[in-house]
Amino acid sequence: MKRAVRANFDASVSAYDAYERRTRRFTALARLLQAEMRQRTDAFDSILDAGAGTGISTRVFADGGARTVALDLSHEMLRQVGESERVQGDFDALPFADRAFDAVAFTASLFLTPEPGAAAREAARVLRPGGVVGAVAPLGWVRADGTDVFADLDRESRSPADVGTVRTALEDTFVVETGVWRFATTAADVRQFHCIPAMAARLYPGLSPDERVEKATDLLAELDGTVEQRWQWVVGVTEA
Ligand SMILES: C[S@@+](CC[C@H](N)C(=O)[O-])C[C@H]1O[C@@H](n2cnc3c(N)ncnc32)[C@H](O)[C@@H]1O
C-alpha cells in the first residue's frame, strides 16, 4: 500500500501543481488549518508538515514564521519543496526525537495511510506537552441537490482510510475538536482534480497513471454546474 501511494505521488507532481495553480485549494486548506491550530496552543514555533507533498502547506506554515520540517514518502513531491528542511520518510514511523515539535500538521495526508492510529500516536510522541495536531481529510463532492457526485458512478476503490477512521484515530490520542469546510467549486475543477494520477488512483488503482486519468476524465465528462467540495478538519491537543 505505501509503495503504491509513493509511486502514485511520484507520478503526480506536474498535475498536482496545475490543479493548485487553478484552485489554490491546498493553500486555502493549510491556511485554515493553521488558524485552527494556532488558537489552541501558546507556542507555534516549530511544525512538522507530515505529508508535505510539493510544499504548498510547508510554505504556508513557514510564511507564518514557524521552523517547518517537510516530511513525505514521495521523493519526487518532496523535491519541489523550497527552502524548508526536507525529510523523506513515513509519518507512521517518524524519524524524530520525542517532544521535538510544537505542532504536527497532516494537510490532506492522514487519510492516505490505512491505519491512521499509528501516525496519530507518532504525532503525540514528537509533540511537546501542550502541543497541537491538525488534520484535514476529504468528505467528497456534493451536487446542488445534495447528492454525492460519485454515488452513482462506477469506480473500483476508495481512499485507504475514511474520514471517520481519521477522526477516531486522533480522538483516541488527543482531546479534539472538529468541523467542516465547504468550497463552492465547478465540475471542471472536479475533472482537473482527477487529472492528478494519485487522485485518480482513488477510482482506478489498478490502471497505469495515464490510463486511470483518462478513465476518470471519461467518468466525469457529463458532470456540469457547481459542486461543493467538503473537507473535515480535526485539531487536537496533548495534555499540557
Ligand atoms: C494530497 S498530498 C498533500 C500535500 C500537502 N500537504 C499539500 O497541502 O499540498 C498528500 C501527501 O501525503 C504523502 N503521504 C501519504 N502517505 C504518507 C505517509 N505514510 N508518510 C508520509 N507522507 C505520506 C503523499 O506522498 C503526498 O505527497
Side-chain angles (χ1 to χ4, degrees):
M1 168 66 78
K2 298 256 176 81
R3 193 174 305 164
V5 169
R6 179 178 162 181
N8 289 338
F9 278 98
D10 276 347
S12 291
V13 172
S14 56
Y16 197 90
D17 282 345
Y19 176 76
E20 180 64 10
R21 277 197 303 278
R22 178 187 175 103
T23 66
R24 304 274 295 159
R25 185 61 36 82
F26 291 103
T27 301
L29 288 171
R31 285 191 179 138
L32 288 163
L33 186 63
Q34 175 174 245
E36 292 294 340
M37 292 169 75
R38 273 183 182 280
Q39 280 177 32
R40 292 170 177 82
T41 187
D42 51 359
F44 199 77
D45 297 330
S46 60
I47 178 160
L48 173 63
D49 189 11
T54 56
I56 295 163
S57 44
T58 314
R59 279 188 287 283
V60 169
F61 304 138
D63 288 350
R67 173 188 155 243
T68 307
V69 177
L71 174 126
D72 205 283
L73 272 183
S74 161
H75 179 255
E76 295 304 315
M77 293 289 272
L78 203 55
R79 247 161 43 113
Q80 312 301 315
V81 173
E83 306 280 291
S84 296
E85 195 179 322
R86 290 175 276 186
V87 178
Q88 187 176 7
D90 182 349
F91 53 53
D92 290 351
L94 290 172
F96 304 108
D98 296 359
R99 303 179 172 206
F101 294 96
D102 294 329
V104 177
F106 298 92
T107 314
S109 56
L110 190 51
F111 68 101
L112 293 166
T113 188
E115 210 277 279
R121 289 187 292 277
E122 276 294 83
R125 181 184 65 75
V126 303
L127 279 172
R128 64 163 170 81
V132 63
V133 67
V136 185
L139 282 165
W141 312 80
V142 180
R143 291 194 189 86
D145 65 5
T147 56
D148 187 298
V149 165
F150 288 95
D152 301 325
L153 297 181
D154 190 22
R155 57 166 157 172
E156 293 163 14
S157 145
R158 288 170 194 278
S159 300
D162 63 21
V163 165
T165 308
V166 169
R167 201 175 49 217
T168 304
L170 291 168
E171 278 168 357
D172 286 348
T173 316
F174 300 92
V175 179
V176 307
E177 289 178 75
T178 72
V180 177
W181 292 317
R182 298 158 195 267
F183 299 88
T185 186
T186 64
D189 288 342
V190 182
R191 277 189 286 277
Q192 175 113 27
F193 183 85
H194 291 89
C195 287
I196 303 171
M199 305 309 179
R202 201 173 62 93
L203 307 175
Y204 305 115
L207 300 180
S208 75
D210 286 348
E211 287 170 334
R212 74 172 87 111
V213 165
E214 199 180 322
K215 204 162 168 194
T217 304
D218 288 349
L219 183 76
L220 294 165
E222 303 292 309
L223 186 66
D224 62 5
T226 303
V227 171
E228 186 176 89
Q229 189 186 24
R230 296 182 185 169
W231 290 86
Q232 176 100 47
W233 61 266
V234 184
V235 172
V237 287
T238 58
E239 300 214 355

